[in-house]
Amino acid sequence: MNSVATAAALSLPISFCRSSKLNYKKGVKVGVFAVFGEGGLVEKTNTWGTLFDVDDPRPRIPQCKGKFLDVNQAFEVARFDIQYCDWRARQDLLTIMILHEKVVEVLNPLARDYKSIGTMKKDLAVLQEDLAQAHKQVHQSEAKVSAALDKLAYMEELVNDRLLQDRSTTESDRSSLTPSTSSSSLDTVKNMLPRKSLNVSGPVPPYDPHLKNFWYPVAFSTDLKDDTMIPIDCFEETWVVFRGKDGKPGCVQNTCAHRACPLHLGSVNEGRIQCPYHGWEYTTAGKCEKMPSTRLLNVKIRSLPCFEQEGMIWIWPGSDPPTANIPSLEPPPGFQIHAEIVMELPVEHGLLLDNLLDLAHAPFTHTSTFAKGWSVPSLVKFLTPTSGLQGYWDPYPIDMEFRPPCMVLSTIGISKPGKLEGQTTQQCSTHLHQLHVCLPSSRQKTRLLYRMSLDFAPILKQVPFMYLLWRHFAEKVLNEDLRLVVGQQERMINGANVWNWPVSYDKLGVRYRLWRDAVERGAKNFPFSKTK
């Protein structure tokens, strides 16, 4: 990583504003502040004392003396930059509060007995000038906060993310860069650095066999009764899931060995699936145990390893031996499942995962559902461990995780539908937990399993037909996304790159793409993940 570019991106060293006309004694606690009047110094107790009891961070800022910074130094200076902006904003607020108290004292009817009208006008004129200067300082501080956050976000893209491989700038480029506080230097560095991108364009290629070597959830246990079956497509192959005589689920090829009739059109008899054409019956292992009207032959159709855990049916479609462990998808403790919904969507599962792993689109896309009324923040960040496939959104109280190979889990802090409270999920009293499973049915179709859980309002589980309301809401949210993702897919097939210009809030989606690329390349160790 280029240290020079990092330093220049921060626009260092930091420039500080001149202090306002009001001076504060160093080391004095601001819990009590003074107001001057005709009667002398009057102490006013400020109930917000702790808000202003913050030390000036400038003496602790590391001195660079014109030298280029390494990565750690750059982050340290960035931290002090934010601390200074916070301190400066507190001083601006304190200035306005003191001036406000002074105005109140000047206009106090009791003070008019000791002041002439001319004196009051003169005092008010001075205070008006001071207030104008204070408000100007507030606007300057706002601009500095915005600039500091922009610099930090760009530095995060350069240094902390390391999502994509950067090509180093030339030595001549390095020698020409110097730290600067101007915004133009930041733009210059951005233009000089090579643009990073992923290439996800053109028709979806056939699925790589390596991507099949995972356990995939394909159905909810509640949907698979003893006498029912569930047809599914997985990696462009047709299968059917049903329960055997022992009640355990099985998954077999959805094609009769006799005349290639779809088996899901038949029925389940005594733990065997019966073909509707000539009555041939198959076990969950794929063995044909009954052939009416003919001699029994040794016939078997393909079957997949199938397992049931925590209310879900899993299959292993790959050629490698199945791993022993199946990941847990249960909601966190304290949550109750309120809805389990299955949908077939006309998009490739990678595009759908890209959409689910992105929350920055919510205030623009979901304006009639859960994000109705959300404000548009000036900066959206996704904060995550260096090697993780999970993290949390800022400024939204939402935790999110991509769990290989195709699952997204999220916890949202909510107060009421369409509203958010708090900056983190820990600050919220009620939560919505969601599970999205994006099973790759084909190169342009996804089987979506959606599970919704709540840690409040358990009585809703007792309301008749409540699941219909949940399904209606889920479909409404998905339709807001689908019209965009379907359009993406059409353009992608025609050659457009849907990951042409990733930015900082695309972090989790980019990491998913890098993880998937490593899997398809047959890498032994997958990036950002402990899964092998």
Side-chain angles (χ1 to χ4, degrees):
M1 183 58 61
N2 192 323
S3 305
V4 180
T6 303
L10 280 170
S11 296
L12 303 173
I14 304 170
S15 63
F16 301 104
C17 303
R18 294 185 302 172
S19 59
S20 64
K21 293 184 179 180
L22 295 174
N23 297 318
Y24 312 102
K25 294 181 180 179
K26 186 175 181 181
V28 175
K29 299 292 183 182
V30 197
V32 175
F33 57 87
V35 177
F36 291 90
E38 287 284 339
L41 185 65
V42 181
E43 286 191 344
K44 297 285 185 179
T45 301
N46 177 17
T47 57
W48 294 355
T50 55
L51 178 64
F52 305 107
D53 190 12
V54 177
D55 294 332
D56 185 347
R58 283 177 288 185
R60 304 194 305 274
I61 293 179
Q63 301 299 317
C64 306
K65 297 181 179 180
K67 295 182 180 179
F68 295 130
L69 303 177
D70 63 20
V71 171
N72 294 329
Q73 288 175 318
F75 270 114
E76 185 70 5
V77 174
R79 185 170 68 88
F80 280 113
D81 194 2
I82 297 296
Q83 287 183 0
Y84 169 75
C85 289
D86 173 73
W87 176 83
R88 181 68 262 173
R90 294 169 192 261
Q91 304 311 305
D92 296 340
L93 178 58
L94 177 60
T95 300
I96 292 176
M97 290 179 65
I98 293 176
L99 290 172
H100 171 73
E101 291 291 336
K102 286 189 174 185
V103 171
V104 171
E105 287 293 328
V106 171
L107 296 178
N108 188 348
L110 297 178
R112 294 176 185 172
D113 296 337
Y114 308 100
K115 289 185 179 181
S116 66
I117 297 298
T119 301
M120 291 179 61
K121 288 183 177 179
K122 183 178 179 180
D123 290 345
L124 287 174
V126 173
L127 290 173
Q128 185 177 8
E129 181 182 353
D130 288 343
L131 277 171
Q133 179 64 28
H135 282 290
K136 181 179 179 181
Q137 179 63 50
V138 168
H139 294 312
Q140 291 175 350
S141 295
E142 289 176 346
K144 284 184 173 293
V145 169
S146 178
L149 290 175
D150 288 343
K151 294 170 190 174
L152 194 59
Y154 184 63
M155 193 183 80
E156 179 190 29
E157 181 184 356
L158 290 175
V159 180
N160 190 41
D161 244 5
R162 300 198 178 186
L163 301 178
L164 305 168
Q165 295 296 324
D166 283 282
R167 298 187 301 273
S168 300
T169 52
T170 62
E171 291 298 326
S172 60
D173 290 337
R174 293 178 184 174
S175 61
S176 65
L177 288 173
T178 58
S180 171
T181 59
S182 66
S183 59
S184 61
S185 66
L186 180 61
D187 295 334
T188 301
V189 173
K190 288 182 180 181
N191 292 333
M192 293 180 68
L193 286 173
R195 182 166 61 87
K196 303 181 297 181
S197 66
L198 290 165
N199 186 11
V200 182
S201 61
V204 180
Y207 286 110
D208 189 276
H210 292 101
L211 197 59
K212 300 180 181 181
N213 290 317
F214 292 90
W215 284 106
Y216 282 86
V218 296
F220 293 112
S221 296
T222 52
D223 293 333
L224 189 62
K225 311 299 182 185
D226 290 340
D227 58 348
T228 62
M229 52 190 141
I230 300 176
I232 62 168
D233 291 340
C234 184
F235 292 108
E236 300 189 302
E237 293 186 291
T238 59
W239 305 92
V240 61
V241 180
F242 64 103
R243 293 189 183 277
K245 290 182 179 180
D246 56 2
K248 295 180 179 179
C251 179
V252 299
Q253 177 184 346
N254 192 10
T255 304
C256 182
H258 179 210
R259 300 281 293 276
C261 180
L263 292 176
H264 77 274
L265 299 177
S267 59
V268 177
N269 297 324
E270 299 180 347
R272 295 189 298 265
I273 190 169
Q274 184 185 72
C275 176
Y277 208 171
H278 297 93
W280 290 23
E281 296 184 7
Y282 302 88
T283 67
T284 53
K287 180 176 177 58
C288 184
E289 288 189 342
K290 192 173 183 179
M291 293 179 182
S293 307
T294 188
R295 183 169 56 90
L296 183 64
L297 302 176
N298 186 19
V299 174
K300 188 174 183 179
I301 57 176
R302 290 177 59 200
S303 65
L304 295 178
C306 187
F307 197 82
E308 185 171 20
Q309 176 177 286
E310 297 175 350
M312 304 195 80
I313 310 298
W314 301 70
I315 65 170
W316 182 277
S319 56
D320 287 357
T323 58
N325 298 324
I326 295 180
S328 174
L329 298 182
E330 278 194 324
F335 283 80
Q336 286 189 341
I337 297 173
H338 282 252
E340 293 181 333
I341 300 168
V342 180
M343 302 181 189
E344 301 289 341
L345 305 178
V347 293
E348 194 269 332
H349 90 291
L351 289 178
L352 185 59
L353 283 168
D354 290 342
N355 175 267
L356 293 171
L357 295 171
D358 168 31
L359 195 68
H361 73 280
F364 304 99
T365 304
H366 300 292
T367 53
S368 63
T369 53
F370 71 90
K372 185 177 183 180
W374 283 18
S375 60
V376 179
S378 59
L379 184 68
V380 175
K381 296 183 290 182
F382 186 82
L383 306 174
T384 185
T386 304
S387 61
L389 286 166
Q390 73 284 334
Y392 64 94
W393 290 92
D394 182 11
Y396 305 124
I398 299 180
D399 299 334
M400 185 171 287
E401 176 185 359
F402 167 70
R403 190 165 296 177
C406 64
M407 290 83 79
V408 177
L409 296 92
S410 59
T411 302
I412 305 174
I414 60 176
S415 56
K416 60 178 68 172
K419 301 232 177 187
L420 294 172
E421 67 173 34
Q423 293 297 312
T424 65
T425 54
Q426 290 78 11
Q427 295 174 348
C428 302
S429 56
T430 55
H431 303 83
L432 162 69
H433 181 76
Q434 298 184 111
L435 165 67
H436 292 84
V437 177
C438 302
L439 181 69
S441 299
S442 70
R443 283 180 279 179
Q444 292 187 36
K445 190 174 71 172
T446 299
R447 178 180 174 86
L448 175 66
L449 278 64
Y450 172 74
R451 174 186 280 170
M452 186 195 76
S453 306
L454 303 175
D455 63 355
F456 64 97
I459 194 173
L460 292 177
K461 290 178 65 71
Q462 311 304 323
V463 177
F465 305 110
M466 191 66 191
Y467 72 96
L468 295 177
L469 181 61
W470 291 133
R471 184 177 184 89
H472 169 75
F473 184 77
E475 288 177 346
K476 191 172 182 180
V477 173
L478 274 172
N479 285 333
E480 289 176 328
D481 285 318
L482 277 179
R483 65 189 184 93
L484 308 179
V485 180
V486 169
Q488 277 185 303
Q489 181 170 262
E490 292 174 353
R491 283 152 180 76
M492 179 187 73
I493 292 174
N494 291 327
N497 185 4
V498 297
W499 275 105
N500 190 48
W501 205 310
V503 294
S504 59
Y505 56 65
D506 292 324
K507 179 183 297 184
L508 195 54
V510 170
R511 289 191 173 187
Y512 156 68
R513 286 292 177 175
L514 294 176
W515 172 88
R516 178 171 169 177
D517 180 66
V519 171
E520 293 176 342
R521 285 188 287 103
K524 294 182 179 179
N525 297 311
F526 304 148
F528 316 115
S529 174
K530 296 180 181 179
T531 306
K532 291 187 177 183

